[in-house]
Amino acid sequence: MTAQRLPNGGRIDRASTLRLSFDGKQILAHPGDSLASALLAGGHMLVGRSFKYHRPRGLFAAGAEEPNALVHLRSGERGEPNTRATLAEAYDGLVARSQNAWPSLAWDLGALNQLLAPALHAGFYYKTFIGPFRGTGFWMFCERFIRKAAGMGQAEGQEDPDSYEKVNAFADVLIIGAGPAGLAAALAAGRSGARVVLVEQDSLLGGSLLATPLGESDHWLQETEGELRSLENVRILTRTTAFGAYDQGVFGLVERVWDHVPEPPPGQPRQRYWQVRAKEAVLASGAIEQPLVFGGNDKPGVMLAAAARSYLNRYAVLPGRQALVCTNNDSAYGLAFDLLRAGAAVTLLDLRQQVPQGLAGPLEAAGATVMAGHGVLAAKGRARVASAMIAPVGLDGRATGATQGLACDLIAVSGGWQPALHLWSQRQQKPVYDAAKGCFVPQGSVPGLRCVGAAAANGRLTDVLAESFAAGAAAALACGLSGDSGAPPAAPSVSLGDDWTSNVHPVGPLTKADGKPLGKAFIDLQHDVTLEDIDLAHREGYVSVEHLKRYTTTGMATDQGKLSNLNALARMAKLQGKEIGEVGTTTFRPPYTPLAIGALVGREHGLHFRPTRLTPIDAWHRENGAVMTEAGAWMRPWYYPEAGESLGQAYRREADHVRKHVGLVDVSTLGKIAVQGPDAAEFLNRVYVNGWKTLPVGRLRYGVMLREDGIVMDDGATARLGEHDYFMSTTTANAAKVLAFAEQLLQTAWTDLKVQVTSVSDAWAAFALAGPKARDLLRALAPESDLEPEALPNNHLVHGEMADVPVRIHRMSYSGELAYELYAPTGFARQLWEAIIAAGRPFNLKSYGTEAMGALRIEKGHVAGAELDGRTTLKDLGLEGFASKKKPFVGEVLRQRPALTDPARPSLVGLEIDGEQGALGGALLFAADGPTVGHGEGWVSSATYSPALGRNIALGLLREGQERLGETIRVVDFLGGTTLKAKVVSHHFVDPEGARQNA
């Protein structure tokens, strides 16, 4: 172990000791530590394994850009995979474990993948498993193993016990980043009187200043933070990530409210999602140091120079005693000075041929060795860095002289810096490459968004503070606030080499004289993308940055290319003989860093997602043993099990009972709309495909409604209650859609019609009574009503009274049996239901649920939601005959489009399934002797076991279905991996003539 906790210094609370656990081993830490700094202080150089090759990996960064140290925090229901150890705050009792390693991190069998490295190059899965074996099924066999091996961590399968919140907030000025630039901007905007929201991902304010030696900037930070917190118009959100920037000044933030404790206090959210609407925004997100590419650059002990400086000065952890610093810019000199002061031996390799004497001279005088024009060609060592191979290098990064070994236990690298422009780029902006600074910089203006500080590629602290202060004042002024911002704060003194924006020499991979790396050189550390993979992609013709990204997976890891994109683009540009700016960048999309899904969902999950609607007799169903199920926003009885019946046993019994006796089902969830007014009949005539003007009072009619594009939207029955009074029923799922459709037409297209449409769904309870004994039961319940077939034939209604409850009786059938729908005021629902149950005992009445109801309607061939899926036409469903040729109606013209009248379109058929196994909805239909390719010739829309037929049946839509009756086809379920045979028959399985319902 070479890393160690220093006896003093750092921004940690040494008065308290925290006990953490990593892979079952105890680690000591202090308040202010991160899990990463605690691991480093405890000598844990190996913290993870890489994605593909399972190579040993150590800490590489100190912030959100960390690619290696992904750990699983906590366990059980609060377990959280793929958490960056660099962002996890240490707390007493924290439990973490490594990922992507078995049986242990130190002895990982997955490391055998390194032996297969020549075969696991970019695109290996396409070439190996698809190309040579296309159509053989070998790919699908291999896919199982690939999917099992893919991924880093493993999500817990238990329900998350924590709660999350959503907050809408408004600000005059939103400032993203609380480093020196953000603090200066917030100070100016806050002093002017603007409503300021200052967002910082870290738990502390200060940004890059937290990595400077203790005492350099602390007094400045304390004074600035103190003034900001004293301003009532300034809200400071720490532990908060701005992950998305959207139009109209909308920003998405996630605040990790209680992630720094074992579990949130009672009643407190774990995380909070902020949707902030800001008039102006200042992006002070800083810059991300870039790595250098050389052989073995992924070994534990290789890390970014800024990260090493952060561990040293913020956490008082010396990351190595024999340090090798390699840089192409001035910023790493500050680390070299700090390492010397901490007692480490330091050798600094500067890739530039001319070393700034103002930096090199004092550093050499302090005891360091400075070597100009030199670079690291390879890191050596087994479990961690033990030495480095160094050599003089030219401007292109190739060795120009002999290679020599140098003992070291830390290689700190700085390949320049890249402004963190992700949020700026999310506003459809493309940065421009600045060759002098070796990075992409923002160019052009985004309304309401200003980039400042390192995010604008500005380096000198004095200039940054002045510029950022001016930007904060200008943002406040743009909001109409002209308060006095005062003078900008004086800059604190910082170490030498703080400015990374001048004297930068971008360099490619550090290689031997022949241009080949000395060992595996990695571009993307987490996804194991090597320099060779980039070269291979170029040879195979991938010239677009987006194609390069997807073919090699560069930049697709959880760090989203924060450390890999620039080096990949530089290599691609060189191979194409172009400048980096010509190649461009990939598209930046939110989120900036990975988010917990719970934070975005908030409380809108499970029963909190939307209001749960209950029928008027919901309590009766539950009291009598019903198993409930969700039907849209409603809870409905699914089935009523007897003596431990399964779902299959119960619904078959219930459906069979309806066919043989009589059953009662709660259909109160149907949409119910009152259509009233002198032009009600005309309105119905226009929205339905069939005619309505001749419908007498006391009659009801089945109707089909189209969308404007000619696709079937809904079906249902509408009753005429009076001269200008109609009662429309819709499917449960489309109740709100139909009402909104009707209101839109009346308010925009048909403003001349004198019609009112009113939802009365909650005013009426509805029950369906079906079966051969249904009329006999109703006679006993309503002796005053004439229910004889001559007086109340199909599609007629009558008003009556049952158990002192006023009832409207509609004779119509959904099941294909003799059936009635009973409508009563909601307040009398349970009274009526229980009266029906009591009166039905002599007739063997049983209640049944939605599963049996579905089986009955499939047997009869009635279409429902699965068939009305937004793709089917009247012709597809065999309902063409309902369309009137004497009147116009919504969708009439567009339903005639050639694509919708094509004879080859799938049409509704019945399917008799061979064997004991039933089909599943969504399974695809293929010809018996045809190939199993593409989307087939149709699909199964609904399936069930038919008690009446004693076999499995289904409804489906099959190409040229009506011409294929009697044909045997295949039903293929790709997800379940099953293939069944089925005979194509009429979709009217039971009583096609309708004798039972017309009895």
Side-chain angles (χ1 to χ4, degrees), residues 220 461-462 465 489-493:
W220 185 90
L461 186 57
T462 302
L465 292 179
S493 60

Side-chain angles (χ1 to χ4, degrees), residues 767-770 774-775 778 787 792 809-813 817-822 999:
F767 312 137
L769 193 67
R775 183 182 292 116
L778 281 185
L787 304 174
L792 190 65
I809 305 171
H810 294 192
R811 183 173 172 191
M812 61 177 302
S813 180
E817 294 295 323
L818 172 64
Y820 302 85
E821 286 184 359
L822 311 178

Side-chain angles (χ1 to χ4, degrees), residues 433-760:
Y433 187 72
D434 187 328
K437 297 180 178 179
C439 64
F440 284 90
V441 300
Q443 188 175 80
S445 61
V446 179
L449 181 60
R450 295 170 167 82
C451 294
V452 298
N458 296 323
R460 291 184 66 248
L461 186 57
T462 302
D463 297 338
V464 164
L465 292 179
E467 171 216 44
S468 302
F469 190 84
L477 184 62
C479 296
L481 297 157
S482 55
D484 183 14
S485 296
S493 60
V494 293
S495 301
L496 292 174
D498 179 65
D499 185 7
W500 56 269
T501 62
S502 61
N503 301 318
V504 180
H505 172 60
V507 66
L510 302 175
T511 64
K512 296 178 293 182
D514 60 3
K516 295 181 179 179
L518 188 60
K520 275 193 177 297
F522 288 87
I523 297 286
D524 189 310
L525 292 173
Q526 191 179 113
H527 269 188
D528 280 335
V529 180
T530 65
L531 189 65
E532 293 174 347
D533 291 324
I534 305 296
D535 294 351
L536 176 63
H538 171 72
R539 292 197 301 271
E540 297 190 348
Y542 289 90
V543 297
S544 163
V545 292
E546 297 289 359
H547 292 164
L548 174 75
K549 172 181 177 179
R550 284 152 182 81
Y551 187 64
T552 64
T553 71
T554 300
M556 294 177 67
T558 56
D559 71 332
Q560 289 293 286
K562 293 179 177 66
L563 298 180
S564 61
N565 278 356
L566 189 59
N567 282 321
L569 296 174
R571 183 64 171 182
M572 184 179 184
K574 183 175 182 180
L575 292 172
Q576 295 183 18
K578 297 180 179 180
E579 297 296 326
I580 296 177
E582 295 179 73
V583 172
T585 64
T586 54
T587 302
F588 293 96
R589 298 181 179 91
Y592 173 68
T593 54
L595 305 176
I597 294 177
L600 300 179
V601 174
R603 298 184 184 276
E604 297 172 3
H605 65 92
L607 297 179
H608 302 292
F609 180 67
R610 56 186 174 185
T612 301
R613 304 188 69 180
L614 307 178
T615 71
I617 55 167
D618 178 82
W620 187 95
H621 297 312
R622 298 174 190 273
E623 291 166 10
N624 287 271
V627 177
M628 307 299 288
T629 186
E630 292 184 14
W634 294 87
M635 294 300 297
R636 299 188 67 179
W638 193 6
Y639 60 100
Y640 299 83
E642 292 182 358
E645 286 179 321
S646 66
L647 166 63
Q649 294 168 330
Y651 90 79
R652 295 178 187 186
R653 171 184 53 77
E654 292 173 1
D656 186 58
H657 188 88
V658 172
R659 296 276 185 226
K660 294 177 179 178
H661 302 281
V662 61
L664 182 64
V665 62
D666 184 2
V667 294
S668 300
T669 61
L670 290 174
K672 310 173 197 74
I673 301 172
V675 182
Q676 299 167 320
D679 294 325
E682 175 63 24
F683 169 77
L684 294 172
N685 225 35
R686 296 183 186 182
V687 295
Y688 282 122
V689 303
N690 45 334
W692 291 83
K693 287 190 174 180
T694 60
L695 183 68
V697 175
R699 296 283 299 272
L700 52 133
R701 180 169 292 167
Y702 174 78
V704 183
M705 193 179 296
L706 304 185
R707 299 188 318 217
E708 292 177 333
D709 61 359
I711 298 295
V712 175
M713 180 169 70
D714 196 53
D715 70 341
T718 294
R720 188 171 187 179
L721 306 182
E723 183 180 0
H724 304 310
D725 188 3
Y726 292 80
F727 183 89
M728 175 191 290
S729 67
T730 74
T731 59
T732 297
N734 288 329
K737 183 190 298 183
V738 171
L739 180 65
F741 181 62
E743 289 178 332
Q744 179 189 18
L745 291 171
L746 291 173
Q747 293 175 24
T748 58
W750 304 334
T751 57
D752 58 317
L753 292 186
K754 299 176 181 178
V755 180
Q756 292 282 1
V757 290
T758 308
S759 174
V760 291

Side-chain angles (χ1 to χ4, degrees), residues 89-113:
E89 294 180 51
Y91 58 80
D92 198 47
L94 185 151
V95 176
R97 68 173 187 267
S98 57
Q99 300 181 151
N100 207 41
W102 187 87
S104 70
L105 183 60
W107 299 97
D108 177 23
L109 286 179
L112 294 174
N113 281 1

